[in-house]
Amino acid sequence: MFEPRIAGIIAGFNAEHRTMTRMVREADRRLHACEATGWARPAVDEWAEALTTLLQHVEHHFAQEEDGGYMEEALTLVPRFAPQAHRLMTEHAELLTGLVTLLGKLRRAAYDAAALGDVAVRYRHLRQRLLDHERAENEVLAHAFNFEMETA
């Protein structure tokens, strides 16, 4: 069993992981609806809304991590993982920029199926990078405290 402070870090990180995964799955679901309807305007609008919600969550999530959040708190207890954690934090700006750029491309696609298809490809690539990033953060914490993170 973990001491309360560590248990709180683990629980918080697990909750963040579940929320992020749920939002990515919702964006995926909305993208599938777009493709299934031949890029119908209402479906595209709903996908844009899901991506906007995901972006807002990721912005908040990364800001917390960079300003004394779960990762920072964990590193005060197990500083030997600081190099890996700091490397991961340097990815935040690139991931955020990618999401903002993706949303801009989605809005400019103006319901053109070919352009929207390109945005979908870009989304899937960025989605994988975001999930890989989160997985790597989870691994740092799991190694630091010798436990297994929940998987969604």
Side-chain angles (χ1 to χ4, degrees):
M1 195 66 180
F2 296 105
E3 67 175 76
R5 183 174 177 196
I6 294 172
I9 293 170
I10 293 168
F13 229 74
N14 278 327
E16 282 292 316
H17 179 79
R18 283 190 304 273
T19 300
M20 181 86 65
T21 300
R22 187 174 55 249
M23 290 183 169
V24 168
R25 285 183 179 157
E26 178 62 15
D28 290 351
R29 189 178 72 75
R30 301 292 179 138
L31 171 57
H32 293 307
C34 288
E35 292 170 329
T37 62
W39 302 102
R41 185 176 189 138
V44 173
D45 290 343
E46 289 177 4
W47 184 37
E49 183 180 318
L51 288 175
T52 299
T53 300
L54 177 62
L55 170 62
Q56 291 167 346
H57 177 77
V58 170
E59 285 174 327
H60 178 73
H61 174 75
F62 285 172
Q64 278 187 312
E65 284 182 358
E66 294 170 5
D67 190 28
Y70 298 117
M71 185 66 77
E72 191 67 30
E73 190 172 356
L75 292 176
T76 63
L77 298 171
V78 191
R80 73 179 180 273
F81 290 96
Q84 295 100 311
H86 291 298
R87 181 189 56 76
L88 287 167
M89 282 193 256
T90 64
E91 294 176 3
H92 291 177
E94 183 182 338
L95 290 165
L96 284 172
T97 299
L99 279 168
V100 169
T101 301
L102 183 78
L103 273 165
K105 287 181 181 300
L106 178 57
R107 290 183 180 115
R108 286 188 304 276
Y111 310 103
D112 172 83
L116 289 166
D118 180 59
V119 173
V121 168
R122 291 172 186 269
Y123 164 73
R124 288 184 173 107
H125 176 73
L126 183 59
R127 170 201 187 277
Q128 191 58 54
R129 287 182 41 229
L130 179 62
L131 293 175
D132 289 346
H133 173 86
E134 287 301 301
R135 191 174 302 111
E137 286 182 343
N138 291 346
E139 287 173 6
V140 167
L141 228 64
H143 290 313
F145 295 118
N146 195 29
F147 76 99
E148 289 188 32
M149 294 297 287
E150 290 180 5
T151 56

